[in-house]
Amino acid sequence: MTAEFHDLAGVPRVAEDPIAHNEIDALTRRVEAVEDRVEALQVQSGGNFAAVIEGQAALRREVRDGFAKVNARFDALEAKMDGHQAQIVDLLSQLVGKDPNAS
């Protein structure tokens, strides 16, 4: 009976999966890249990264509120157009069957 090295060391081992190791290495590189970008943003913002994030959130709220106002104006305009179309249909309905030469 022969013993493997890892059996002798008392450490149970699983066969290494090269694909899993490649994926772990790729994820590790991505995490490191994100960390580097965060550090760069902190340096660019003078270390006040939270203020930059809050500023962006405030801009998003402002844009969202602006869109809400524009949507409200469009809704009002659409309602006005619907009213005008109803009036046009009513006037045209009154004219149906009338002699165009009659006064």
Coordinates of all heavy atoms in Angstrom, one line a residue:
M1 N 0.8 -1.2 0.0 CA 0.0 0.0 0.0 C 0.9 1.2 0.0 O 1.8 1.4 0.8 CB -0.9 -0.1 1.2 CG -1.8 1.1 1.4 SD -2.9 0.7 2.7 CE -3.9 2.1 2.7
T2 N 0.6 2.1 -1.0 CA 1.4 3.4 -1.0 C 0.6 4.5 -0.5 O -0.6 4.5 -0.6 CB 1.8 3.6 -2.5 OG1 0.7 3.8 -3.2 CG2 2.7 2.5 -3.0
A3 N 1.3 5.5 0.0 CA 0.7 6.7 0.5 C 1.1 7.9 -0.3 O 2.3 8.0 -0.6 CB 1.0 6.9 2.0
E4 N 0.1 8.8 -0.6 CA 0.4 10.0 -1.3 C 1.0 11.0 -0.3 O 0.8 10.9 0.9 CB -0.8 10.6 -1.9 CG -1.5 9.7 -3.0 CD -0.6 9.7 -4.2 OE1 0.1 10.7 -4.5 OE2 -0.7 8.6 -4.9
F5 N 1.7 12.0 -0.8 CA 2.3 13.0 0.1 C 1.3 13.7 1.0 O 1.4 13.8 2.2 CB 3.1 14.0 -0.7 CG 3.6 15.2 0.2 CD1 4.7 15.0 1.0 CD2 3.0 16.4 0.2 CE1 5.2 16.0 1.7 CE2 3.4 17.4 1.0 CZ 4.5 17.2 1.8
H6 N 0.1 14.1 0.3 CA -0.9 14.8 1.1 C -1.5 13.9 2.1 O -2.0 14.4 3.2 CB -1.9 15.5 0.2 CG -2.7 14.5 -0.7 ND1 -3.6 13.7 -0.2 CD2 -2.5 14.3 -2.0 CE1 -4.1 13.0 -1.2 NE2 -3.4 13.3 -2.3
D7 N -1.6 12.6 1.9 CA -2.1 11.7 2.9 C -1.2 11.6 4.1 O -1.6 11.6 5.2 CB -2.3 10.3 2.3 CG -3.4 10.2 1.3 OD1 -4.3 11.1 1.3 OD2 -3.4 9.4 0.4
L8 N 0.1 11.7 3.8 CA 1.1 11.6 4.8 C 1.1 12.9 5.7 O 1.3 12.9 6.9 CB 2.5 11.4 4.3 CG 2.8 10.1 3.6 CD1 4.1 10.1 3.0 CD2 2.6 9.0 4.6
A9 N 0.8 14.0 5.1 CA 0.7 15.3 5.8 C -0.6 15.4 6.6 O -0.7 16.3 7.4 CB 0.8 16.5 4.8
G10 N -1.5 14.5 6.3 CA -2.8 14.6 7.1 C -3.7 15.7 6.6 O -4.7 16.0 7.3
V11 N -3.5 16.2 5.4 CA -4.3 17.2 4.8 C -5.1 16.6 3.7 O -4.6 16.2 2.7 CB -3.5 18.4 4.3 CG1 -4.4 19.5 3.7 CG2 -2.7 19.0 5.5
P12 N -6.5 16.6 3.8 CA -7.2 16.1 2.7 C -7.2 17.1 1.6 O -7.2 18.3 1.8 CB -8.7 16.0 3.3 CG -8.7 16.9 4.4 CD -7.3 17.0 4.9
R13 N -7.0 16.6 0.3 CA -6.9 17.5 -0.8 C -7.9 17.1 -1.9 O -8.2 16.0 -2.0 CB -5.5 17.5 -1.4 CG -4.5 18.1 -0.4 CD -3.1 18.1 -1.0 NE -3.1 18.6 -2.4 CZ -2.5 19.7 -2.8 NH1 -1.8 20.4 -1.9 NH2 -2.5 20.1 -4.0
V14 N -8.3 18.1 -2.6 CA -9.2 17.9 -3.8 C -8.3 18.2 -5.0 O -7.5 19.1 -5.0 CB -10.4 18.9 -3.7 CG1 -11.2 18.8 -5.0 CG2 -11.2 18.7 -2.5
A15 N -8.6 17.5 -6.1 CA -7.8 17.7 -7.3 C -8.0 19.2 -7.7 O -9.1 19.7 -7.7 CB -8.3 16.8 -8.4
E16 N -6.9 19.8 -8.1 CA -6.9 21.2 -8.5 C -7.6 21.3 -9.8 O -7.3 20.6 -10.8 CB -5.5 21.8 -8.5 CG -4.9 21.9 -7.1 CD -3.6 22.6 -7.1 OE1 -3.3 23.3 -8.1 OE2 -2.9 22.5 -6.2
D17 N -8.5 22.3 -9.9 CA -9.2 22.6 -11.2 C -8.6 23.8 -11.8 O -8.7 24.9 -11.3 CB -10.7 22.8 -10.8 CG -11.5 23.1 -12.1 OD1 -11.0 23.1 -13.2 OD2 -12.7 23.3 -11.9
P18 N -7.9 23.7 -12.9 CA -7.3 24.8 -13.6 C -8.2 25.9 -14.0 O -7.9 27.1 -13.9 CB -6.5 24.3 -14.7 CG -7.1 22.9 -15.0 CD -7.7 22.5 -13.7
I19 N -9.4 25.5 -14.4 CA -10.4 26.5 -14.8 C -10.9 27.3 -13.6 O -11.0 28.6 -13.7 CB -11.6 25.8 -15.5 CG1 -11.2 25.2 -16.8 CG2 -12.8 26.8 -15.7 CD1 -12.3 24.3 -17.5
A20 N -11.1 26.7 -12.5 CA -11.5 27.4 -11.3 C -10.4 28.4 -10.9 O -10.7 29.5 -10.5 CB -11.8 26.4 -10.2
H21 N -9.2 27.9 -10.9 CA -8.0 28.8 -10.6 C -8.0 30.0 -11.5 O -7.7 31.1 -11.1 CB -6.7 28.0 -10.6 CG -6.5 27.2 -9.3 ND1 -6.2 27.8 -8.1 CD2 -6.7 25.9 -9.1 CE1 -6.1 26.8 -7.2 NE2 -6.4 25.7 -7.8
N22 N -8.2 29.8 -12.8 CA -8.1 30.9 -13.7 C -9.3 31.9 -13.4 O -9.1 33.1 -13.5 CB -8.3 30.4 -15.2 CG -7.0 29.6 -15.6 OD1 -5.9 29.9 -15.1 ND2 -7.1 28.8 -16.6
E23 N -10.5 31.4 -13.1 CA -11.6 32.3 -12.8 C -11.3 33.0 -11.5 O -11.6 34.2 -11.4 CB -12.9 31.5 -12.6 CG -13.4 30.9 -13.9 CD -14.6 30.0 -13.8 OE1 -15.1 29.8 -12.6 OE2 -15.1 29.6 -14.8
I24 N -10.7 32.4 -10.5 CA -10.4 33.1 -9.3 C -9.3 34.1 -9.5 O -9.4 35.3 -9.0 CB -9.9 32.1 -8.2 CG1 -11.0 31.2 -7.7 CG2 -9.2 32.8 -7.0 CD1 -10.6 30.0 -6.9
D25 N -8.3 33.8 -10.4 CA -7.3 34.8 -10.7 C -7.9 36.0 -11.4 O -7.6 37.1 -11.2 CB -6.2 34.2 -11.6 CG -5.4 33.2 -10.8 OD1 -5.4 33.2 -9.5 OD2 -4.7 32.3 -11.4
A26 N -8.8 35.7 -12.4 CA -9.5 36.8 -13.1 C -10.3 37.7 -12.2 O -10.3 38.9 -12.3 CB -10.3 36.2 -14.2
L27 N -11.1 37.1 -11.3 CA -11.9 37.8 -10.3 C -11.0 38.7 -9.4 O -11.3 39.8 -9.1 CB -12.8 36.9 -9.5 CG -13.9 36.3 -10.3 CD1 -14.6 35.3 -9.4 CD2 -14.9 37.4 -10.7
T28 N -9.9 38.1 -9.0 CA -8.9 38.8 -8.1 C -8.4 40.0 -8.8 O -8.3 41.1 -8.3 CB -7.8 37.9 -7.7 OG1 -8.3 36.8 -7.0 CG2 -6.8 38.6 -6.8
R29 N -8.1 39.9 -10.1 CA -7.6 41.0 -10.9 C -8.6 42.1 -11.0 O -8.4 43.3 -10.9 CB -7.1 40.6 -12.3 CG -5.8 39.8 -12.2 CD -5.2 39.6 -13.6 NE -6.0 38.8 -14.5 CZ -6.1 37.5 -14.6 NH1 -5.3 36.8 -13.8 NH2 -6.9 36.9 -15.4
R30 N -9.9 41.7 -11.2 CA -11.0 42.6 -11.3 C -11.2 43.4 -10.0 O -11.4 44.6 -10.0 CB -12.3 41.9 -11.7 CG -12.3 41.5 -13.2 CD -13.6 40.8 -13.5 NE -13.6 40.2 -14.8 CZ -14.5 39.4 -15.2 NH1 -15.5 39.0 -14.5 NH2 -14.4 38.9 -16.4
V31 N -11.2 42.7 -8.9 CA -11.3 43.4 -7.6 C -10.2 44.4 -7.4 O -10.4 45.5 -7.0 CB -11.4 42.3 -6.5 CG1 -11.2 43.0 -5.1 CG2 -12.6 41.5 -6.6
E32 N -9.0 43.9 -7.7 CA -7.8 44.9 -7.6 C -8.0 46.1 -8.5 O -7.7 47.2 -8.1 CB -6.5 44.1 -7.9 CG -6.2 43.1 -6.8 CD -5.0 42.2 -7.2 OE1 -4.6 42.3 -8.4 OE2 -4.6 41.4 -6.3
A33 N -8.5 45.9 -9.7 CA -8.7 47.0 -10.6 C -9.8 48.0 -10.1 O -9.6 49.2 -10.1 CB -9.1 46.5 -12.0
V34 N -10.8 47.4 -9.5 CA -11.9 48.3 -8.9 C -11.3 49.0 -7.7 O -11.6 50.2 -7.6 CB -13.1 47.4 -8.5 CG1 -14.1 48.2 -7.6 CG2 -13.8 46.9 -9.7
E35 N -10.6 48.3 -6.9 CA -10.0 49.0 -5.7 C -9.0 50.2 -6.2 O -9.0 51.2 -5.6 CB -9.2 48.0 -4.9 CG -10.1 47.1 -4.1 CD -9.3 46.0 -3.4 OE1 -8.1 45.8 -3.7 OE2 -9.9 45.3 -2.6
D36 N -8.3 49.9 -7.3 CA -7.4 51.0 -7.8 C -8.2 52.1 -8.3 O -7.8 53.3 -8.1 CB -6.5 50.4 -9.0 CG -5.5 49.4 -8.5 OD1 -5.2 49.4 -7.2 OD2 -4.9 48.7 -9.3
R37 N -9.3 51.9 -9.0 CA -10.2 53.0 -9.5 C -10.8 53.8 -8.3 O -10.9 55.0 -8.4 CB -11.3 52.4 -10.4 CG -10.7 51.9 -11.7 CD -11.7 51.2 -12.6 NE -12.5 52.2 -13.3 CZ -13.5 52.0 -14.0 NH1 -14.0 50.8 -14.1 NH2 -14.2 53.0 -14.6
V38 N -11.2 53.1 -7.3 CA -11.8 53.8 -6.1 C -10.7 54.7 -5.5 O -11.0 55.8 -5.2 CB -12.3 52.8 -5.1 CG1 -12.7 53.4 -3.8 CG2 -13.6 52.1 -5.7
E39 N -9.5 54.1 -5.4 CA -8.4 55.0 -4.8 C -8.1 56.2 -5.7 O -7.9 57.3 -5.2 CB -7.2 54.1 -4.7 CG -7.2 53.1 -3.5 CD -5.9 52.3 -3.4 OE1 -4.9 52.7 -3.9 OE2 -6.0 51.2 -2.9
A40 N -8.1 56.0 -7.0 CA -7.9 57.1 -7.9 C -9.0 58.1 -7.8 O -8.7 59.3 -7.8 CB -7.8 56.6 -9.4
L41 N -10.3 57.7 -7.7 CA -11.4 58.6 -7.5 C -11.2 59.4 -6.2 O -11.5 60.6 -6.1 CB -12.7 57.9 -7.6 CG -13.1 57.4 -9.0 CD1 -14.4 56.6 -8.9 CD2 -13.4 58.6 -9.9
Q42 N -10.8 58.7 -5.2 CA -10.6 59.4 -3.9 C -9.5 60.4 -4.0 O -9.7 61.5 -3.4 CB -10.3 58.4 -2.8 CG -11.5 57.5 -2.4 CD -11.1 56.4 -1.4 OE1 -10.0 55.9 -1.4 NE2 -12.0 56.0 -0.6
V43 N -8.5 60.1 -4.7 CA -7.4 61.1 -4.8 C -7.9 62.3 -5.7 O -7.7 63.4 -5.3 CB -6.2 60.4 -5.5 CG1 -5.1 61.5 -5.9 CG2 -5.5 59.4 -4.6
Q44 N -8.6 62.0 -6.8 CA -9.1 63.1 -7.6 C -10.1 64.0 -6.9 O -10.2 65.2 -7.1 CB -9.8 62.5 -8.8 CG -8.9 61.9 -9.8 CD -9.6 61.3 -11.0 OE1 -10.8 61.2 -11.0 NE2 -8.9 60.8 -12.0
S45 N -10.9 63.4 -6.0 CA -11.9 64.2 -5.2 C -11.3 64.8 -4.0 O -12.0 65.3 -3.2 CB -13.1 63.3 -4.9 OG -12.7 62.3 -4.0
G46 N -10.0 64.7 -3.8 CA -9.4 65.3 -2.6 C -9.7 64.5 -1.4 O -9.6 65.0 -0.3
G47 N -9.9 63.2 -1.6 CA -10.2 62.3 -0.4 C -11.6 62.4 0.1 O -12.0 61.7 1.0
N48 N -12.4 63.3 -0.5 CA -13.8 63.4 0.0 C -14.7 62.7 -1.0 O -15.6 63.3 -1.6 CB -14.1 64.9 0.1 CG -15.4 65.1 0.9 OD1 -16.0 64.2 1.4 ND2 -15.7 66.4 1.1
F49 N -14.5 61.4 -1.1 CA -15.3 60.6 -2.0 C -16.8 60.6 -1.7 O -17.6 60.6 -2.6 CB -14.8 59.2 -2.0 CG -15.2 58.3 -3.1 CD1 -15.0 58.7 -4.5 CD2 -15.8 57.1 -2.9 CE1 -15.4 57.9 -5.5 CE2 -16.3 56.3 -4.0 CZ -16.0 56.7 -5.3
A50 N -17.1 60.6 -0.4 CA -18.5 60.6 0.0 C -19.2 61.9 -0.5 O -20.4 61.8 -0.9 CB -18.6 60.6 1.5
A51 N -18.5 63.0 -0.5 CA -19.1 64.3 -1.0 C -19.4 64.2 -2.5 O -20.4 64.7 -3.0 CB -18.2 65.4 -0.7
V52 N -18.5 63.5 -3.2 CA -18.7 63.3 -4.7 C -19.9 62.5 -4.9 O -20.7 62.8 -5.8 CB -17.4 62.7 -5.3 CG1 -17.7 62.3 -6.8 CG2 -16.3 63.7 -5.2
I53 N -20.0 61.4 -4.2 CA -21.2 60.5 -4.3 C -22.5 61.2 -4.0 O -23.5 61.1 -4.7 CB -21.0 59.3 -3.4 CG1 -19.8 58.4 -3.7 CG2 -22.3 58.4 -3.4 CD1 -19.9 57.6 -5.0
E54 N -22.5 62.0 -3.0 CA -23.7 62.8 -2.6 C -24.0 63.8 -3.7 O -25.2 64.0 -4.0 CB -23.5 63.5 -1.2 CG -24.7 64.3 -0.8 CD -26.0 63.5 -0.9 OE1 -26.1 62.3 -0.5 OE2 -27.1 64.1 -1.2
G55 N -23.0 64.4 -4.2 CA -23.2 65.4 -5.3 C -23.8 64.7 -6.5 O -24.8 65.3 -7.1
Q56 N -23.4 63.5 -6.9 CA -24.0 62.8 -8.0 C -25.4 62.4 -7.7 O -26.3 62.5 -8.5 CB -23.1 61.5 -8.3 CG -21.8 61.8 -8.9 CD -21.0 60.6 -9.2 OE1 -21.3 59.5 -8.6 NE2 -19.9 60.7 -9.9
A57 N -25.7 62.0 -6.4 CA -27.0 61.7 -6.0 C -28.0 62.9 -6.1 O -29.1 62.8 -6.6 CB -27.1 61.1 -4.6
A58 N -27.4 64.0 -5.7 CA -28.2 65.3 -5.8 C -28.5 65.6 -7.3 O -29.7 66.0 -7.6 CB -27.5 66.4 -5.2
L59 N -27.6 65.4 -8.2 CA -27.8 65.7 -9.6 C -28.8 64.7 -10.1 O -29.7 65.1 -10.9 CB -26.5 65.5 -10.4 CG -25.5 66.7 -10.2 CD1 -24.2 66.3 -10.9 CD2 -26.1 68.0 -10.8
R60 N -28.8 63.4 -9.7 CA -29.8 62.5 -10.2 C -31.2 62.9 -9.7 O -32.1 62.8 -10.5 CB -29.4 61.1 -9.7 CG -28.4 60.4 -10.5 CD -28.4 58.9 -10.2 NE -27.1 58.3 -10.0 CZ -26.3 58.5 -8.9 NH1 -26.7 59.1 -7.9 NH2 -25.1 57.9 -8.8
R61 N -31.3 63.3 -8.5 CA -32.6 63.8 -8.0 C -33.1 65.0 -8.8 O -34.3 65.0 -9.1 CB -32.5 64.1 -6.5 CG -32.4 62.9 -5.6 CD -32.6 63.3 -4.1 NE -31.5 64.2 -3.6 CZ -30.3 63.8 -3.1 NH1 -30.1 62.5 -2.9 NH2 -29.5 64.7 -2.7
E62 N -32.2 65.9 -9.1 CA -32.6 67.1 -9.8 C -33.1 66.7 -11.2 O -34.1 67.2 -11.7 CB -31.4 68.0 -9.9 CG -31.7 69.4 -10.4 CD -30.5 70.3 -10.4 OE1 -29.7 70.2 -9.4 OE2 -30.3 71.1 -11.3
V63 N -32.4 65.8 -11.9 CA -32.8 65.3 -13.2 C -34.1 64.6 -13.1 O -35.0 64.8 -13.9 CB -31.7 64.4 -13.8 CG1 -32.2 63.7 -15.1 CG2 -30.5 65.2 -14.2
R64 N -34.3 63.7 -12.1 CA -35.5 63.0 -11.9 C -36.7 64.0 -11.7 O -37.8 63.8 -12.3 CB -35.4 62.0 -10.8 CG -36.6 61.2 -10.6 CD -36.6 60.3 -9.3 NE -36.5 61.2 -8.2 CZ -35.5 61.0 -7.2 NH1 -34.6 60.1 -7.3 NH2 -35.5 61.9 -6.2
D65 N -36.5 65.0 -10.9 CA -37.5 66.0 -10.6 C -37.8 66.8 -11.9 O -39.0 67.1 -12.2 CB -37.1 67.0 -9.5 CG -37.0 66.3 -8.2 OD1 -37.5 65.1 -8.0 OD2 -36.4 66.8 -7.2
G66 N -36.8 67.1 -12.7 CA -37.0 67.8 -14.0 C -37.8 67.0 -14.9 O -38.7 67.5 -15.6
F67 N -37.5 65.7 -15.0 CA -38.3 64.8 -15.8 C -39.8 64.7 -15.4 O -40.7 64.7 -16.2 CB -37.8 63.4 -15.9 CG -36.7 63.2 -16.9 CD1 -35.4 62.7 -16.5 CD2 -36.9 63.5 -18.2 CE1 -34.4 62.5 -17.4 CE2 -35.9 63.3 -19.1 CZ -34.6 62.9 -18.7
A68 N -40.0 64.7 -14.0 CA -41.4 64.7 -13.5 C -42.1 65.9 -13.9 O -43.3 65.8 -14.3 CB -41.3 64.6 -12.0
K69 N -41.5 67.1 -13.9 CA -42.1 68.3 -14.3 C -42.4 68.3 -15.8 O -43.5 68.7 -16.3 CB -41.2 69.5 -14.0 CG -41.1 69.8 -12.5 CD -40.2 71.0 -12.3 CE -40.0 71.2 -10.8 NZ -39.1 72.3 -10.5
V70 N -41.5 67.8 -16.6 CA -41.7 67.7 -18.1 C -42.9 66.8 -18.4 O -43.7 67.0 -19.2 CB -40.4 67.3 -18.8 CG1 -40.7 66.9 -20.2 CG2 -39.4 68.4 -18.7
N71 N -42.9 65.6 -17.7 CA -44.0 64.7 -17.9 C -45.3 65.3 -17.5 O -46.3 65.0 -18.2 CB -43.7 63.4 -17.1 CG -42.7 62.5 -17.7 OD1 -42.5 62.6 -18.9 ND2 -42.0 61.7 -16.9
A72 N -45.4 66.1 -16.4 CA -46.6 66.7 -16.0 C -47.1 67.7 -17.1 O -48.3 67.8 -17.4 CB -46.4 67.4 -14.7
R73 N -46.1 68.4 -17.7 CA -46.5 69.4 -18.8 C -47.0 68.6 -20.0 O -48.0 69.0 -20.6 CB -45.3 70.2 -19.1 CG -45.0 71.3 -18.1 CD -43.9 72.2 -18.5 NE -43.6 73.2 -17.5 CZ -42.6 74.0 -17.6 NH1 -41.8 74.0 -18.6 NH2 -42.5 74.9 -16.6
F74 N -46.4 67.5 -20.3 CA -46.8 66.7 -21.5 C -48.2 66.2 -21.2 O -49.1 66.1 -22.1 CB -45.9 65.6 -21.8 CG -44.8 66.0 -22.7 CD1 -43.4 65.8 -22.3 CD2 -45.0 66.4 -24.0 CE1 -42.4 66.2 -23.2 CE2 -44.0 66.8 -24.8 CZ -42.7 66.7 -24.4
D75 N -48.5 65.7 -20.0 CA -49.8 65.2 -19.6 C -50.9 66.3 -19.8 O -51.9 66.1 -20.3 CB -49.8 64.7 -18.2 CG -49.1 63.4 -18.0 OD1 -48.7 62.7 -19.1 OD2 -48.7 63.0 -16.9
A76 N -50.5 67.5 -19.3 CA -51.5 68.6 -19.5 C -51.7 69.0 -20.9 O -52.8 69.2 -21.3 CB -50.9 69.9 -18.7
L77 N -50.6 69.0 -21.7 CA -50.7 69.3 -23.1 C -51.6 68.2 -23.8 O -52.4 68.5 -24.7 CB -49.4 69.4 -23.8 CG -49.3 69.7 -25.3 CD1 -49.9 71.0 -25.6 CD2 -47.9 69.7 -25.7
E78 N -51.4 67.0 -23.5 CA -52.1 65.9 -24.1 C -53.6 66.0 -23.7 O -54.5 65.8 -24.6 CB -51.6 64.5 -23.6 CG -52.2 63.3 -24.3 CD -51.5 62.0 -23.8 OE1 -50.8 62.0 -22.8 OE2 -51.7 61.0 -24.6
A79 N -53.9 66.4 -22.5 CA -55.3 66.6 -22.1 C -56.0 67.7 -22.9 O -57.1 67.6 -23.3 CB -55.4 66.8 -20.6
K80 N -55.2 68.8 -23.1 CA -55.7 69.9 -23.9 C -55.9 69.5 -25.3 O -57.0 69.9 -25.9 CB -54.7 71.0 -23.8 CG -55.2 72.4 -24.3 CD -54.1 73.5 -24.0 CE -54.7 74.8 -24.3 NZ -53.7 75.9 -24.0
M81 N -55.0 68.7 -25.9 CA -55.2 68.3 -27.3 C -56.4 67.3 -27.4 O -57.1 67.4 -28.4 CB -53.9 67.5 -27.7 CG -52.7 68.5 -28.0 SD -51.2 67.6 -28.3 CE -51.6 66.5 -29.6
D82 N -56.6 66.5 -26.4 CA -57.8 65.6 -26.4 C -59.1 66.4 -26.4 O -60.0 66.1 -27.1 CB -57.7 64.6 -25.2 CG -56.7 63.6 -25.3 OD1 -56.2 63.3 -26.4 OD2 -56.4 62.9 -24.3
G83 N -59.1 67.5 -25.6 CA -60.2 68.4 -25.6 C -60.5 69.0 -26.9 O -61.6 69.1 -27.4
H84 N -59.4 69.5 -27.5 CA -59.6 70.1 -28.8 C -60.0 69.1 -29.9 O -60.9 69.4 -30.7 CB -58.2 70.8 -29.3 CG -57.9 72.0 -28.5 ND1 -56.7 72.6 -28.6 CD2 -58.6 72.7 -27.6 CE1 -56.7 73.7 -27.8 NE2 -57.8 73.8 -27.2
Q85 N -59.5 67.9 -29.8 CA -59.9 66.9 -30.8 C -61.4 66.6 -30.6 O -62.2 66.4 -31.6 CB -59.1 65.6 -30.6 CG -57.7 65.8 -31.2 CD -56.8 64.5 -31.0 OE1 -57.1 63.7 -30.1 NE2 -55.8 64.4 -31.7
A86 N -61.9 66.5 -29.3 CA -63.3 66.3 -29.1 C -64.1 67.4 -29.7 O -65.2 67.1 -30.2 CB -63.5 66.1 -27.6
Q87 N -63.7 68.6 -29.5 CA -64.4 69.7 -30.1 C -64.5 69.6 -31.6 O -65.5 69.9 -32.2 CB -63.8 71.1 -29.7 CG -64.0 71.5 -28.3 CD -63.3 72.8 -27.9 OE1 -62.4 73.2 -28.6 NE2 -63.8 73.4 -26.9
I88 N -63.4 69.3 -32.2 CA -63.3 69.1 -33.7 C -64.3 68.0 -34.1 O -65.1 68.2 -35.1 CB -61.9 68.9 -34.2 CG1 -61.0 70.1 -34.0 CG2 -61.9 68.4 -35.6 CD1 -59.5 69.9 -34.2
V89 N -64.3 66.9 -33.5 CA -65.1 65.8 -33.8 C -66.6 66.3 -33.6 O -67.5 66.0 -34.5 CB -64.8 64.6 -33.0 CG1 -65.9 63.5 -33.1 CG2 -63.5 64.0 -33.3
D90 N -66.9 67.0 -32.6 CA -68.3 67.5 -32.4 C -68.7 68.4 -33.5 O -69.8 68.3 -34.0 CB -68.3 68.2 -31.0 CG -69.8 68.6 -30.7 OD1 -70.7 67.7 -30.8 OD2 -70.0 69.7 -30.2
L91 N -67.8 69.3 -33.8 CA -68.2 70.3 -34.9 C -68.4 69.6 -36.3 O -69.3 69.9 -37.0 CB -67.1 71.4 -35.0 CG -67.1 72.4 -33.9 CD1 -65.8 73.3 -34.0 CD2 -68.3 73.2 -33.8
L92 N -67.5 68.6 -36.6 CA -67.6 67.9 -37.8 C -68.9 67.0 -37.8 O -69.5 66.9 -38.8 CB -66.3 67.0 -38.0 CG -65.1 67.7 -38.4 CD1 -63.9 66.8 -38.4 CD2 -65.2 68.5 -39.7
S93 N -69.2 66.5 -36.7 CA -70.4 65.7 -36.6 C -71.7 66.5 -36.8 O -72.6 66.1 -37.4 CB -70.5 65.0 -35.2 OG -69.5 64.1 -35.0
Q94 N -71.6 67.8 -36.4 CA -72.8 68.7 -36.6 C -72.9 69.0 -38.1 O -74.0 69.3 -38.6 CB -72.6 70.0 -35.8 CG -72.7 69.8 -34.3 CD -72.4 71.1 -33.5 OE1 -72.4 72.2 -34.1 NE2 -72.1 70.9 -32.3
L95 N -71.8 69.0 -38.8 CA -71.8 69.4 -40.2 C -72.2 68.2 -41.1 O -72.6 68.5 -42.3 CB -70.4 69.9 -40.7 CG -70.0 71.2 -40.1 CD1 -68.6 71.6 -40.5 CD2 -70.9 72.4 -40.6
V96 N -72.1 67.0 -40.6 CA -72.4 65.9 -41.5 C -73.9 65.9 -41.9 O -74.8 66.1 -41.1 CB -72.2 64.5 -40.7 CG1 -72.7 63.3 -41.5 CG2 -70.7 64.4 -40.5
G97 N -74.1 65.8 -43.2 CA -75.5 65.8 -43.7 C -76.0 67.1 -44.0 O -77.1 67.3 -44.6
K98 N -75.3 68.2 -43.7 CA -75.8 69.5 -44.0 C -75.3 69.9 -45.4 O -74.2 69.5 -45.9 CB -75.2 70.6 -43.0 CG -75.9 70.5 -41.7 CD -75.5 71.7 -40.9 CE -76.3 71.6 -39.5 NZ -76.1 72.8 -38.7
D99 N -76.0 70.8 -46.1 CA -75.7 71.2 -47.4 C -74.6 72.3 -47.3 O -74.7 73.3 -46.6 CB -76.9 71.9 -48.1 CG -76.6 72.4 -49.5 OD1 -75.5 72.1 -50.0 OD2 -77.5 73.0 -50.1
P100 N -73.4 72.0 -47.9 CA -72.3 73.0 -47.7 C -72.6 74.3 -48.4 O -71.9 75.3 -48.0 CB -71.1 72.3 -48.5 CG -71.7 71.2 -49.3 CD -73.1 70.9 -48.7
N101 N -73.6 74.4 -49.3 CA -73.9 75.6 -49.9 C -74.9 76.4 -49.1 O -75.1 77.6 -49.4 CB -74.4 75.4 -51.3 CG -73.3 74.8 -52.2 OD1 -72.1 75.2 -52.0 ND2 -73.7 73.9 -53.1
A102 N -75.5 75.8 -48.1 CA -76.5 76.5 -47.3 C -75.8 77.4 -46.3 O -74.7 77.1 -45.8 CB -77.4 75.5 -46.6
S103 N -76.5 78.5 -46.0 CA -75.8 79.5 -45.1 C -76.2 79.2 -43.7 O -77.0 78.9 -43.0 CB -76.1 80.9 -45.5 OG -77.4 81.1 -45.7

